[in-house]
Amino acid sequence: MNVTISAPVGGESVPAAQDKAEQTRSYRQAQRRESRKALLLAAPLLLFLLITFITPIAILLMRSVQNPEVPGALPGLTQALQHWDEQGLPGASTYAVLARELEQAADNDELGTVARRLNFYNPQMRSLLLKTARKLDVQQSDDWRATLAGIDARWEDPQIWRILKRAAQSPTPDYLLNALDSHIDSNGEITSLPAEESVYLEAFSRTVWISASVTLICLILAYPVAWLLANLPARQSNRLMLLVIVPFWTSLLVRTTAWYVLLQPNGVINSLLSGLGLVSQPLHLMFNRTGVLIGMTHILLPFMILAIYSVMKGISPVYMRAAQSLGARPLTAFMRTYVPQTFAGIGAGCFLVFVLSLGYYITPALLGGAGDEMISQLISVQTNQQLNWGLAGALSAYLVIFTAIFYFIFNRLVGIDRLRFG
Amino acid sequence: MPIKPIINILAGTCAVATLLAAGPLQAATKLSVVTFGGAYEAAVKSAYFEPFTQATGVGFNLEAYDGGLAKLAAMVQANNTTWDVIDLESNDAIAGCDEGLLMRIDKASLGDTSDFIPGSISDCAVASMVWSTIFAYDTARLATAPTQINDFFDTQKIPGKRGLRKSPKGTLEWALLADGVPKEEVYKVLGTPAGLDRAFKKLDSIKKDIIWWESGAQAPQLLADGAVVMTQAYPGCGAEGFQAVRHCLGWPGLRLRMVGHPQRLEKCQGSCGLHRLRLQARGDFPAVALHRLRTAPHQGAAAGRAEHPQGPAYRHRQLR
């Protein structure tokens, strides 16, 4: 019987396979059409992201290796210095090129930009360049080396020339090194800055430390709340949820300012405490780490609560009952059957809170003190005050890289697809 | 990308006197002026801007900022400068001029400048006011009144937090003065690496008690909040700021006093420490401003005169 049946099946198998291939093809075509349509629908958003988000970030990150100031304004000098071996002083022709191009740059209003760039290497460069350019205005010379040395003796210092040569290299590793508190010394080796001049490594570790602390505090505070939300009757749970959601919807700046009012020495909390006679001196709750942690925890708490809650909501109570009916005590049942099922939510919440903390700016700026500067604040100083956009780009690059690495690790451990809310 | 000097885009500012003589400009025109905001803005508004509007019909869009060249640099790079006149600290005015962010002034158009403070006119900027940095304290809060700069750095004598501007300007000078450097030698000492180290070491001695502020309006606020027992402040903004704080918060009992000694730090001699009005788009406005600086009384700018005889009024008299 089997044989007789198998024969017709075998006979039909070729057209069936063709049919199937045909079907698959048309299915794939349809799918491609659909995805093209979907892409078209998403195109405005993608374009928007490309223009307003990805491109500016890419430009900023590119700045961390670009060094356009000196090559742009002093092209001849840049070329001349490439042939200089950094031993002794450069040749007389290089001096002549420098003199000519300094004057040109001053006339084109480009000298200030060059001076600012060089000042990042050495704080006397600006005054040296501007002074030289001013005096060059009226000078003619056959021996530029003597003339320049006459204007300022520092032009006979090989160190100054080495700085010029470093600044004439583009792309440059210097910003990326500076962002890690190191630089290339006169021997061409990477060396770290002395401890009292180091800023950024400490700021990076402080940023990670603050972010980790905030994440931990958020987790401890959020877990019971999320459990309550997931296990209360719907009516009460919805009301409680409102308390979580409303702050979540409120502007970050408003909430930070509210903490400012609450925490200050004459503020609500201190008045209350001293009114109750609990403290005699106002507690220092702000302009220090305490203020930063309180403010950031409060602002990031809803992310943690919602992430854990969304997972807890889907956990059936039967597991706990089963564990208890099998003899586990409530605590053991909770720890061994319930908690492991919430790991995905914990992971998602910790990831969100940690990554958001890394870039925090306003809250530590308002509530923190001298020892609580996070990396974003230093990036802002370099961007807005020092105009050192190269260094700002380098610091941002490290922040992006660190966040990406963290994302990768998290994705491996927990899986990013588990991120969801409510 | 090379920075494009504004001078190319906005040529022809030298016709100051002519424009003025020609009568009111088109009423629709508005100048975009950027100042440090707060009480200072109110002062310059009544002293310079409003009279200018009355005389010429040209209005103003006022914008406030905390100083620095970043935003201006970004605007110039993008070739989209929306500011016309900007208030800058002298070092920023010099740097901005060198970098081609600011337009050069035709000095001849300023007329007779013989009664100006030496150093008040530079290539791209004209001084619009002279300022000094003082420190202020709440008389109700401090039992021992600080009388000199040493008291600011003496946490034994007067315990508590101190507010300082988050900037080396003024702060480093104070540290050296408090460390015993004579006034005349401050900048000589500060010009050496050893002097810088000395200033930072002195600052380190009160490091844990410093609260850094960034915008001028924060200083009186910190005092009023009780977050600091004394703070560095701008006298002009401070004077009005303190009044404003008293009014706004409804604490008439709050009494703040400025300590005069560091005011005589003479940051305001020569060109250092001058605020400068930058002229960018139109020469006519700064000319009027300068005109008023020299001839007219400054009701607005001189606020706080009664309380502080060495305050803004005194300094503006020098400029006139």
Side-chain angles (χ1 to χ4, degrees), chain A residues 36-226:
Chain A
R36 262 203 301 274
K37 254 191 246 169
L39 195 69
L40 263 177
L41 283 174
L45 175 67
L46 290 178
L47 200 69
F48 177 78
L49 280 182
L50 187 74
I51 294 171
T52 61
F53 188 68
I54 297 169
T55 317
I57 289 180
I59 290 174
L60 181 71
L61 295 184
M62 286 298 286
R63 277 184 190 275
S64 62
V65 289
Q66 286 167 340
N67 209 8
E69 293 89 352
V70 174
L74 313 171
L77 181 76
T78 304
Q79 230 167 22
L81 283 174
Q82 255 156 26
H83 304 298
W84 175 51
D85 59 359
E86 298 191 36
Q87 300 303 312
L89 287 168
S93 62
T94 312
Y95 276 91
V97 171
L98 174 76
R100 193 182 66 235
E101 292 196 334
L102 270 187
E103 226 180 310
Q104 274 170 11
D107 289 343
N108 298 337
D109 277 336
E110 286 175 335
L111 191 61
T113 320
V114 174
R116 170 154 52 79
R117 174 69 192 99
L118 287 163
N119 227 31
F120 295 145
Y121 284 107
N122 182 329
Q124 35 176 320
M125 290 304 283
R126 169 180 214 108
S127 60
L128 175 64
L129 285 188
L130 295 178
K131 174 185 171 190
T132 311
R134 255 196 312 277
K135 296 207 171 165
L136 277 174
D137 233 9
V138 289
Q139 297 231 11
Q140 278 304 319
S141 170
D142 295 325
D143 184 0
W144 281 110
R145 184 170 161 179
T147 313
L148 283 171
I151 291 173
D152 197 305
R154 281 175 286 183
W155 287 117
E156 300 222 293
D157 178 2
Q159 191 55 38
I160 296 289
W161 285 96
R162 276 190 215 111
I163 290 173
L164 276 174
K165 185 169 177 174
R166 281 224 67 78
Q169 281 168 2
S170 185
T172 177
D174 291 345
Y175 288 123
L176 290 169
L177 288 173
N178 288 351
L180 295 178
D181 292 325
S182 47
H183 67 128
I184 294 182
D185 64 11
S186 49
N187 300 325
E189 281 165 20
I190 298 174
T191 44
S192 302
L193 288 174
E196 68 268 19
E197 285 175 41
S198 300
V199 180
Y200 301 114
L201 283 179
E202 205 189 321
F204 273 116
S205 66
R206 183 163 54 226
T207 304
V208 173
W209 176 240
I210 291 178
S211 304
S213 313
V214 169
T215 310
L216 187 69
I217 300 172
C218 276
L219 178 61
I220 294 169
L221 294 178
Y223 201 86
V225 179

Side-chain angles (χ1 to χ4, degrees), chain A residues 109 116 130 266 373 384 387, chain B residues 70 98-99 104 166 225:
Chain A
D109 277 336
R116 170 154 52 79
L130 295 178
N266 287 341
E373 281 198 311
N384 294 325
L387 286 189
Chain B
D98 290 338
E99 296 186 20
R104 287 179 196 282
K166 201 172 180 181
D225 293 344

Side-chain angles (χ1 to χ4, degrees), chain B residues 6 19 54 57 98 145 210 236 303:
Chain B
I6 313 172
L19 270 173
Q54 274 172 13
D98 290 338
I210 299 177

